[in-house]
C-alpha cells in the first residue's frame, strides 16, 4: 500500500512533465495548419530580441518565433506575369520525358543550324578559291553586244547639188536620181544602204562600214570610221573611200571616172530636217536607235543628219568613155573631151538636213 502510494506521485510528476512537454510541442506544431491560420502567440518578453535577415528580393521581415511566409519556386513570375508552373503543368512537358524531348529538339535544331552554316562557308570558300586552270579552260563565250551605231541602216537623203567642172562635156557626169532638191523635192530622194560593224569583235570604238547593196553602182567594203567632234553637237562618224564611178550619157556610151572619192559624215546628235513636206512625207520619222541593240542584219532608218559626197578632180583620163556594143566596150571615145585641171571638181552632194 505504501509502495503504491509512493510510486503514484512519481508517476504523476512524470506525467505532468510529459504533459508540459506535449503542450509545448503542440503549441509549436499548431503553427503549421492546413488552413494557413496561425494561432496567437504569447506576449514576447522584453529580453527576447527580434532576429531578421536581409534578402535580395526583400521578403517581409520576421522573427525566429514566427514561421516564414510560404514561398514557392513555382510561384516566381516573369516580366509578363507568366509563372514557371505554366511550363511545369504544360500537357506536353508534363508527359513522361517531356523535358528530355525539348532538350533533344533544341540540340537537333542547333546541330542543323551549325551544319548549314558550315556547308555554306565551305561552298563559298571553294567558289572563290577555284583553281586558275579550271577558269582558264577554253569555253565558247558569246561576242559582247556593241550598241549604237553598230547595225544595218538605210540612209534617206536627197540630191542637193551637182557639179560638172572636171569634164568638158557636162553630160558625162551624172548624179542619180538626176533631179536636185531645188528642181523637184519629191524626185530628189536617194537611198543608201550601209552596215556598220566592229572591226574587232566586241570593240565599241574600232568600227567599219560597208555597202550592203549596190546602189547607184557604189560598192565598198570595210571602210574605217572616224569619230569627229566627240561630245559636241556636231559629233559625227566620217569615212572616205575610193570608188569607180560610172555614167551613161547615151545608151551606147559608158564613161568611167576612176579614182572618185566617196565621203560621208553621219551625225549622232544633229537631227535630220526636211523643208519640203512632199518629200518628208515619204520618209518615216525615226526615234534614235537603241543604244542596246546589237547588229543583227536587220535594217533601220538612220535617225540623224547625214551628208554624202562623191567627187573627183580633172586630169588625164577623166572621164574615160567607150562606145558599147551588146554591153561590151568596142571603141575608146576622145573626141570632144578635153582634159581639165585637177582643181576643177565634179561632185554629187546628198544630205537629209536643210
Amino acid at each position: 500500500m505504501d509502495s503504491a502510494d509512493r510510486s503514484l506521485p512519481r508517476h504523476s510528476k512524470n506525467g505532468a512533465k510529459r504533459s508540459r512537454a506535449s503542450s509545448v510541442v503542440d503549441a509549436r506544431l499548431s503553427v503549421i495548419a492546413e488552413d494557413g491560420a496561425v494561432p496567437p502567440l504569447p506576449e514576447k518578453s522584453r529580453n527576447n530580441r527580434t532576429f531578421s535577415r536581409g534578402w535580395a528580393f526583400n521578403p517581409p521581415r520576421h522573427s525566429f518565433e514566427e514561421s516564414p511566409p510560404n514561398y514557392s519556386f513555382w510561384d516566381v513570375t516573369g516580366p509578363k506575369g507568366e509563372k514557371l508552373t505554366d511550363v511545369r503543368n504544360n500537357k506536353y512537358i508534363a508527359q513522361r520525358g517531356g523535358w528530355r524531348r525539348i532538350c533533344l529538339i533544341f540540340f537537333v535544331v542547333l546541330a542543323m543550324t551549325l551544319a548549314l552554316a558550315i556547308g555554306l562557308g565551305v561552298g563559298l570558300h571553294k567558289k572563290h578559291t577555284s583553281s586558275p586552270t579550271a577558269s582558264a579552260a577554253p569555253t565558247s563565250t558569246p561576242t559582247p553586244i556593241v550598241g549604237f551605231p553598230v547595225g544595218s541602216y538605210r540612209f534617206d537623203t536627197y540630191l542637193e547639188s551637182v557639179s560638172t567642172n572636171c569634164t568638158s562635156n557636162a553630160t558625162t557626169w551624172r548624179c542619180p536620181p538626176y533631179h536636185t532638191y531645188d528642181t523637184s523635192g519629191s524626185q530628189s530622194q536617194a537611198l543608201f544602204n550601209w552596215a556598220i560593224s566592229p572591226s574587232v569583235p566586241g570593240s565599241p570604238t574600232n568600227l567599219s562600214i560597208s555597202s550592203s547593196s549596190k546602189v547607184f553602182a557604189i560598192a565598198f567594203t570595210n571602210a574605217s570610221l572616224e569619230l569627229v567632234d566627240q561630245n559636241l553637237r556636231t559629233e559625227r562618224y566620217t569615212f572616205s573611200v575610193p570608188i569607180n564611178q560610172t555614167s551613161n550619157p547615151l545608151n551606147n556610151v559608158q564613161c568611167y571616172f576612176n579614182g572618185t572619192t566617196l565621203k560621208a559624215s553621219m551625225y549622232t546628235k544633229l537631227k535630220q530636217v526636211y523643208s519640203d513636206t512632199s518629200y518628208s512625207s515619204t520618209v518615216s520619222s525615226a526615234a534614235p536607235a537603241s543604244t542596246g541593240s546589237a547588229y543583227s542584219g536587220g535594217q533601220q532608218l538612220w535617225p540623224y543628219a547625214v551628208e554624202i559626197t562623191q567627187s573627183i578632180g580633172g586630169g588625164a583620163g577623166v572621164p574615160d568613155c567607150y562606145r558599147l556594143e551588146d554591153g561590151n566596150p568596142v571603141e575608146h571615145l576622145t573626141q570632144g573631151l578635153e582634159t581639165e585641171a585637177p582643181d576643177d571638181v565634179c561632185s554629187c552632194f546628198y544630205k537629209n538636213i536643210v
Side-chain angles (χ1 to χ4, degrees):
M1 184 73 179
D2 293 339
S3 298
D5 293 339
R6 284 195 298 269
S7 61
L8 183 59
R10 286 197 303 267
H11 178 76
S12 298
K13 184 177 181 179
N14 293 335
K17 288 182 181 182
R18 282 195 300 269
S19 177
R20 285 195 299 268
S22 177
S23 299
V24 173
V25 172
D26 292 340
R28 292 186 179 182
L29 293 178
S30 63
V31 175
I32 302 176
E34 292 182 356
D35 57 359
V38 180
L41 295 176
E43 184 178 356
K44 293 187 292 184
S45 172
R46 294 182 180 179
N47 295 329
N48 295 335
R49 294 183 180 180
T50 303
F51 175 78
S52 64
R53 183 184 299 271
W55 298 85
F57 48 88
N58 295 324
R61 302 175 66 89
H62 58 85
S63 67
F64 73 97
E65 295 179 346
E66 296 176 338
S67 297
N70 295 328
Y71 286 97
S72 175
F73 174 76
W74 301 103
D75 293 334
V76 178
T77 59
K80 297 183 179 180
E82 67 277 11
K83 293 184 177 182
L84 291 178
T85 53
D86 296 336
V87 178
R88 184 187 64 180
N89 297 329
N90 186 283
K91 64 180 182 178
Y92 296 104
I93 299 176
Q95 295 175 3
R96 178 177 297 179
W99 284 105
R100 281 179 288 182
R101 279 197 298 271
I102 291 177
C103 293
L104 180 61
I105 293 173
F106 171 77
F107 284 112
V108 169
V109 173
L110 179 61
M112 293 176 62
T113 304
L114 291 176
L116 180 60
I118 294 173
L120 290 176
V122 173
L124 293 176
H125 179 72
K126 288 184 178 180
K127 179 179 179 181
H128 290 290
T129 59
S130 57
S131 63
T133 304
S135 61
T139 56
S140 57
T141 56
T143 302
I145 294 178
V146 180
F148 180 83
V150 172
S152 183
Y153 297 96
R154 186 186 75 182
F155 297 85
D156 286 357
T157 67
Y158 59 85
L159 179 60
E160 167 68 14
S161 61
V162 177
S163 176
T164 61
N165 295 332
C166 69
T167 176
S168 59
N169 188 340
T171 61
T172 59
W173 178 262
R174 307 192 69 191
C175 298
Y178 315 116
H179 295 277
T180 63
Y181 182 80
D182 291 336
T183 58
S184 177
S186 60
Q187 295 181 352
S188 64
Q189 184 179 11
L191 305 179
F192 298 87
N193 298 319
W194 296 339
I196 301 174
S197 59
S199 299
V200 178
S203 173
T205 55
N206 298 324
L207 303 176
S208 61
I209 188 169
S210 303
S211 59
S212 55
S213 63
K214 192 175 181 181
V215 180
F216 307 146
I218 298 175
F220 61 93
T221 304
N222 294 331
S224 297
L225 288 178
E226 180 183 0
L227 183 61
V228 180
D229 293 344
Q230 187 173 6
N231 298 325
L232 299 179
R233 181 175 177 269
T234 54
E235 179 184 272
R236 61 196 182 276
Y237 286 95
T238 65
F239 73 93
S240 176
V241 61
I243 60 173
N244 293 323
Q245 177 78 338
T246 61
S247 66
N248 295 89
L250 298 173
N251 289 335
N252 62 340
V253 175
Q254 188 173 45
C255 296
Y256 298 89
F257 291 83
N258 298 320
T260 300
T261 299
L262 173 67
K263 294 182 179 180
S265 295
M266 299 168 292
Y267 293 86
T268 60
K269 300 181 185 298
L270 194 61
K271 297 294 184 180
Q272 53 184 345
V273 178
Y274 305 97
S275 61
D276 186 86
T277 56
S278 62
Y279 173 70
S280 61
S281 62
T282 64
V283 181
S284 60
S285 59
S290 172
T291 57
S293 61
Y295 175 52
S296 60
Q299 192 178 70
Q300 52 188 317
L301 182 67
W302 183 265
Y304 301 103
V306 60
E307 295 173 339
I308 301 171
T309 304
Q310 301 172 53
S311 63
I312 186 173
V318 180
D320 192 14
C321 297
Y322 295 86
R323 184 175 63 85
L324 303 177
E325 285 186 4
D326 297 330
N328 298 316
V330 294
E331 183 182 359
H332 189 210
L333 302 176
T334 59
Q335 185 177 1
L337 297 176
E338 298 178 1
T339 300
E340 302 294 335
D343 294 338
D344 295 330
V345 178
C346 293
S347 65
C348 304
F349 180 51
Y350 303 89
K351 65 178 183 179
N352 64 357
I353 184 171
V354 179

Short mmCIF file of all heavy atoms in Angstrom, two decimals, residues 51-62:
data_model
loop_
_atom_site.label_atom_id
_atom_site.label_comp_id
_atom_site.label_asym_id
_atom_site.label_seq_id
_atom_site.Cartn_x
_atom_site.Cartn_y
_atom_site.Cartn_z
N PHE A 51 14.95 38.71 -34.46
CA PHE A 51 16.05 38.40 -35.38
C PHE A 51 15.52 38.51 -36.81
O PHE A 51 14.48 37.98 -37.14
CB PHE A 51 16.55 36.96 -35.12
CG PHE A 51 17.60 36.53 -36.11
CD1 PHE A 51 18.90 36.97 -35.99
CD2 PHE A 51 17.23 35.70 -37.17
CE1 PHE A 51 19.83 36.55 -36.90
CE2 PHE A 51 18.17 35.30 -38.07
CZ PHE A 51 19.48 35.71 -37.94
N SER A 52 16.22 39.22 -37.61
CA SER A 52 15.81 39.39 -39.02
C SER A 52 17.04 39.33 -39.91
O SER A 52 18.15 39.59 -39.47
CB SER A 52 15.06 40.70 -39.24
OG SER A 52 15.92 41.81 -38.97
N ARG A 53 16.84 39.04 -41.18
CA ARG A 53 17.94 38.92 -42.15
C ARG A 53 17.49 39.60 -43.46
O ARG A 53 16.34 39.47 -43.86
CB ARG A 53 18.25 37.44 -42.42
CG ARG A 53 19.44 37.23 -43.37
CD ARG A 53 19.61 35.76 -43.64
NE ARG A 53 19.89 35.02 -42.42
CZ ARG A 53 21.12 34.82 -41.95
NH1 ARG A 53 22.16 35.33 -42.58
NH2 ARG A 53 21.30 34.12 -40.85
N GLY A 54 18.41 40.32 -44.06
CA GLY A 54 18.09 40.99 -45.34
C GLY A 54 18.20 40.01 -46.50
O GLY A 54 19.10 39.18 -46.54
N TRP A 55 17.26 40.09 -47.43
CA TRP A 55 17.26 39.24 -48.61
C TRP A 55 17.32 40.11 -49.86
O TRP A 55 16.89 41.26 -49.86
CB TRP A 55 15.99 38.37 -48.66
CG TRP A 55 15.88 37.44 -47.49
CD1 TRP A 55 15.36 37.72 -46.26
CD2 TRP A 55 16.31 36.10 -47.45
NE1 TRP A 55 15.43 36.64 -45.44
CE2 TRP A 55 16.02 35.60 -46.16
CE3 TRP A 55 16.93 35.24 -48.37
CZ2 TRP A 55 16.31 34.32 -45.76
CZ3 TRP A 55 17.20 33.96 -47.97
CH2 TRP A 55 16.90 33.51 -46.68
N ALA A 56 17.83 39.49 -50.94
CA ALA A 56 17.98 40.27 -52.18
C ALA A 56 16.64 40.70 -52.71
O ALA A 56 16.50 41.78 -53.28
CB ALA A 56 18.71 39.41 -53.23
N PHE A 57 15.60 39.83 -52.52
CA PHE A 57 14.29 40.21 -53.05
C PHE A 57 13.36 40.77 -51.97
O PHE A 57 12.18 40.94 -52.18
CB PHE A 57 13.61 38.99 -53.72
CG PHE A 57 13.64 37.75 -52.88
CD1 PHE A 57 12.64 37.49 -51.96
CD2 PHE A 57 14.69 36.85 -53.02
CE1 PHE A 57 12.67 36.34 -51.19
CE2 PHE A 57 14.69 35.71 -52.24
CZ PHE A 57 13.70 35.44 -51.33
N ASN A 58 13.98 41.08 -50.76
CA ASN A 58 13.27 41.80 -49.68
C ASN A 58 11.93 41.19 -49.33
O ASN A 58 10.88 41.80 -49.54
CB ASN A 58 13.07 43.27 -50.05
CG ASN A 58 14.40 44.00 -50.17
OD1 ASN A 58 15.33 43.73 -49.40
ND2 ASN A 58 14.48 44.93 -51.12
N PRO A 59 11.91 39.96 -48.78
CA PRO A 59 10.62 39.43 -48.29
C PRO A 59 10.24 40.10 -46.97
O PRO A 59 11.05 40.83 -46.39
CB PRO A 59 10.92 37.94 -48.08
CG PRO A 59 12.39 37.92 -47.79
CD PRO A 59 13.02 39.02 -48.58
N PRO A 60 9.06 39.91 -46.47
CA PRO A 60 8.65 40.54 -45.20
C PRO A 60 9.57 40.10 -44.07
O PRO A 60 10.02 38.96 -44.02
CB PRO A 60 7.22 40.03 -44.98
CG PRO A 60 6.77 39.63 -46.34
CD PRO A 60 7.95 39.15 -47.06
N ARG A 61 9.87 41.02 -43.16
CA ARG A 61 10.74 40.72 -42.02
C ARG A 61 9.95 39.83 -41.03
O ARG A 61 8.75 39.96 -40.85
CB ARG A 61 11.16 42.01 -41.33
CG ARG A 61 11.89 42.97 -42.29
CD ARG A 61 12.18 44.29 -41.61
NE ARG A 61 13.14 44.10 -40.53
CZ ARG A 61 14.46 44.16 -40.70
NH1 ARG A 61 14.96 44.39 -41.90
NH2 ARG A 61 15.29 44.02 -39.71
N HIS A 62 10.67 38.90 -40.36
CA HIS A 62 10.01 38.01 -39.40
C HIS A 62 11.00 37.68 -38.30
O HIS A 62 12.22 37.85 -38.45
CB HIS A 62 9.53 36.72 -40.10
CG HIS A 62 10.67 35.98 -40.77
ND1 HIS A 62 11.45 35.09 -40.11
CD2 HIS A 62 11.11 36.04 -42.06
CE1 HIS A 62 12.35 34.61 -40.94
NE2 HIS A 62 12.17 35.18 -42.13
#
